[in-house]
Amino acid sequence: MATERTVSSNVFDEFKWRGLVYDFTEGLPETLAAEKVTVYIGFDPTANSLQVGNLLALMGLARLQRFGHTPIAVAGGGTGMIGDPGGKTAERQLLAQEEVAANVEAIKGQLARFLDFDARDNAARIVNNADWLLKVPMMAFLRDVGKHFTVSTMIAKDSVKTRLQREEGISYTEFSYQLLQAYDFQQLYDRYGCTMQAGGSDQWGNITAGVELIRRTRGARAHGLVYPLVTDVEGNKLGKTVQGTVWLDAEKTSPYRYYQFWLNQGDDQVIDLLKYFTWLTQAEIAELEGRVAEHPERREAQRTLAQELTRLTHGETALTKAEQASQVLFGGEIAGLDAADIADIFADVPSSEVAKARFEGAGVSFIDLVDELGITRSKGEARRLLANGGFYVNNVQVAESDRSLTLADTFEGRFIVLRRGKKSYHLVRLAG
RNA sequence: GGGCAGUUGAUCCGAGCGGCAAAGGAGGCGGACUGUAAAUCCGCUGGCGUAAGCCUUCGGGGGUUCGAGUCCCUCACUGCCCA
């Protein structure tokens, strides 16, 4: 866990300063200042890992916990099931339940890096809404929950309204989603005294539905807080890149890629991201803001962001390795390294095995090999790229069109590092 | 059911007198410049071939022609208008 660095005396002010407050229910600031609340966020257990898109809500929970409030992470094991009703047998449904359970388990490990599950007074907890949603009888649900909602308010919610305007419309199942989420909130209130729900701004309608349900059925006042939607310059959700989703699981997104993802954030966004996602104080961030303004080319803010988040998500060792790899992959000079370094640094780069014998004597034609390994789509493309100076062997640009690769190009007879363009690497492993 | 418009390079838009490997743009990929950025500039963007050249592409099928993306017939799908 990171060290105690928070300075604001009041969580709400802290959230406000960090730009995390998009909307909130009336009286929330006062409640947060006056008492310790139990707060929850929901997440989808459809994968065995969280992703960058979950990080904002997660850090929000972590901040609340640090201020003494009690966090609950709710896996949508039940709501997830109705999200995809198409063509599944009962048997597979059961399997899906096991999968969800496995996913929840995997995710819990990740949550532990952010939330404290062992705190004395306000330990975090993770629950699965399938625990109650799968058991609730239809009649009881309609009577006890459905009764408190009018269809006119339900169709007035943004999420529903936009769908109704489209041609495809909305299924009854999905239309019911807000009731289920409201019911979740009520259940968490009953079971854990949970009186606050946080989430992305798109959750606002669902959250207030829960607040309303608790007020009507329990006569209690519950609260909601929603964060702004974080997007990149192109308006895409943060963490959805061309190469795919950025995951928190090292197996799905290597620490190196994770580090690079944050390092590559733009100047105009990096300060906001530091506020959203790190534990850095106001003073520290202000300092970095000044540095970005004066020397943007140094990218100190980006580097700090990448370091903080890689450390938080993957730990100190992984961070060190990611930084090392970054230096080599972008610094250029790799001639001095030994095979062990190469193996380590290029661990997450695509690689292929090629028989060592082929490199003996005159060696193998560069064009042929590159085509064979699928680095280019055709030999013609390979030739064009080479002519344009787009190929590198061990980070040295290939100049001759008839270049061949021999044992002299290898690291200890074990590896050759091919590179296409600026940063697309391919490791050749010699075998046999 | 009737009428009109359309379907183009295995991403998207989009030109295309019967001689076309097929204009242009976006995107993508390289290079230069840079801060692993943005902007800008240059090159590439069907396959095989060092090359001459050969092969394969314009919704499907059939036809006319020395030769068809381009003309004719037919089928399919899409969009708009009339019932």
Side-chain angles (χ1 to χ4, degrees):
Chain A
M1 288 251 94
T3 47
E4 198 71 34
R5 275 154 136 184
T6 306
V7 285
S8 301
S9 55
N10 173 310
V11 218
F12 195 80
D13 289 346
E14 170 85 10
F15 272 62
K16 254 194 142 153
W17 167 71
R18 289 190 183 270
L20 291 170
V21 179
Y22 181 83
D23 205 350
F24 59 95
T25 49
E26 210 186 318
L28 177 66
E30 295 75 16
T31 303
L32 282 175
E35 48 190 274
K36 300 301 179 205
V37 306
T38 295
V39 50
Y40 96 91
I41 60 166
F43 63 89
D44 216 1
T46 45
N48 60 359
S49 170
L50 294 169
Q51 55 183 80
V52 163
N54 299 118
L55 215 45
L56 191 69
L58 195 49
M59 283 302 287
L61 264 199
R63 287 183 211 289
L64 283 160
Q65 184 174 34
R66 202 160 286 195
F67 274 91
H69 304 291
T70 305
I72 302 178
V74 174
T79 33
M81 280 177 76
I82 70 148
D84 180 22
K88 292 201 174 166
T89 68
E91 212 178 329
R92 286 183 64 180
Q93 202 81 302
L94 211 71
L95 205 81
Q97 274 306 295
E98 288 160 13
E99 238 171 83
V100 165
N103 289 344
V104 167
E105 210 40 50
I107 287 168
K108 186 175 178 180
Q110 296 180 330
L111 291 174
R113 300 204 66 92
F114 299 86
L115 302 175
D116 185 352
F117 283 85
D118 301 316
R120 257 171 305 148
D121 302 324
N122 61 336
R125 103 174 63 215
I126 178 169
V127 299
N128 186 343
N129 67 7
D131 290 350
W132 55 83
L133 285 180
L134 295 185
K135 289 180 198 144
V136 61
M138 176 91 173
M139 284 306 143
F141 184 81
L142 290 177
R143 191 189 57 204
D144 299 337
V145 179
K147 200 72 180 164
H148 300 285
F149 293 86
T150 64
V151 170
S152 56
T153 49
M154 285 176 74
I155 56 176
K157 306 275 182 195
D158 270 350
S159 54
V160 176
K161 212 165 35 178
T162 52
R163 287 284 296 277
L164 282 176
Q165 282 161 359
R166 289 197 191 170
E167 249 184 49
E168 313 89 68
I170 183 167
S171 72
Y172 182 74
T173 305
E174 284 186 58
F175 180 58
S176 316
Y177 196 91
Q178 50 180 304
L179 294 191
L180 294 178
Q181 193 166 333
Y183 183 65
D184 277 352
F185 201 170
Q186 188 201 54
Q187 285 297 307
L188 290 162
Y189 173 80
D190 288 348
R191 292 164 186 242
Y192 307 111
C194 177
T195 54
M196 175 178 172
Q197 183 181 174
S201 56
D202 54 330
Q203 294 297 309
W204 181 247
N206 294 331
I207 291 175
T208 52
V211 168
E212 188 63 11
L213 182 66
I214 291 174
R215 188 183 65 78
R216 284 175 178 245
T217 60
R218 304 292 184 260
R221 191 175 191 192
H223 288 286
L225 168 69
V226 291
Y227 311 122
L229 201 63
V230 185
T231 58
D232 63 20
V233 194
E234 274 118 41
N236 302 311
K237 277 189 181 175
L238 194 76
K240 298 284 184 189
T241 67
V242 251
Q243 288 115 39
T245 305
V246 180
W247 300 95
L248 302 194
D249 181 355
E251 296 294 315
K252 292 164 94 84
T253 299
S254 74
Y256 164 72
R257 286 192 199 293
Y258 190 75
Y259 178 89
Q260 286 289 327
F261 169 75
W262 295 109
L263 186 67
N264 283 319
Q265 296 299 324
D267 297 346
D268 45 0
Q269 234 192 340
V270 65
I271 297 301
D272 284 344
L273 295 176
L274 282 166
K275 289 179 184 170
Y276 292 153
F277 296 114
T278 72
W279 293 103
L280 298 190
T281 62
Q282 261 190 61
E284 287 167 322
I285 291 177
E287 166 81 19
L288 282 168
E289 195 167 7
R291 287 171 190 259
V292 170
E294 255 179 77
H295 290 288
E297 75 282 3
R298 290 185 191 160
R299 292 181 307 142
E300 288 176 64
Q302 281 91 337
R303 187 155 292 116
T304 306
L305 179 70
Q307 285 169 347
E308 288 290 321
L309 281 161
T310 307
R311 183 185 296 122
L312 192 59
T313 310
H314 297 297
E316 195 69 48
T317 314
L319 168 62
T320 309
K321 284 195 175 179
E323 289 195 295
Q324 253 174 21
S326 296
Q327 266 179 14
V328 171
L329 265 48
F330 291 95
E333 196 50 46
I334 63 174
L337 301 173
D338 61 30
D341 289 336
I342 297 291
D344 209 34
I345 289 166
F346 292 92
D348 4 284
V349 152
S351 68
S352 311
E353 227 171 61
V354 179
K356 189 174 181 176
R358 297 175 59 191
F359 295 90
E360 281 158 7
V364 54
S365 149
F366 181 81
I367 295 286
D368 288 348
L369 186 71
V370 145
D371 177 58
E372 179 188 324
L373 297 180
I375 294 171
T376 54
R377 246 187 273 177
S378 65
K379 283 192 186 180
E381 185 184 9
R383 277 191 210 97
R384 284 192 293 268
L385 260 169
L386 192 144
N388 286 331
F391 276 122
Y392 305 77
V393 171
N394 299 331
N395 272 4
V396 178
Q397 195 168 48
V398 176
E400 320 81 46
S401 60
D402 56 350
R403 178 75 147 88
S404 359
L405 295 171
T406 66
L407 288 178
D409 294 309
T410 68
F411 286 87
E412 297 167 25
R414 292 176 56 199
F415 302 114
I416 296 178
V417 178
L418 302 180
R419 184 177 124 211
R420 174 200 162 143
K422 260 185 186 165
K423 37 188 158 182
S424 175
Y425 282 88
H426 191 104
L427 183 68
V428 177
R429 291 177 280 118
L430 280 67

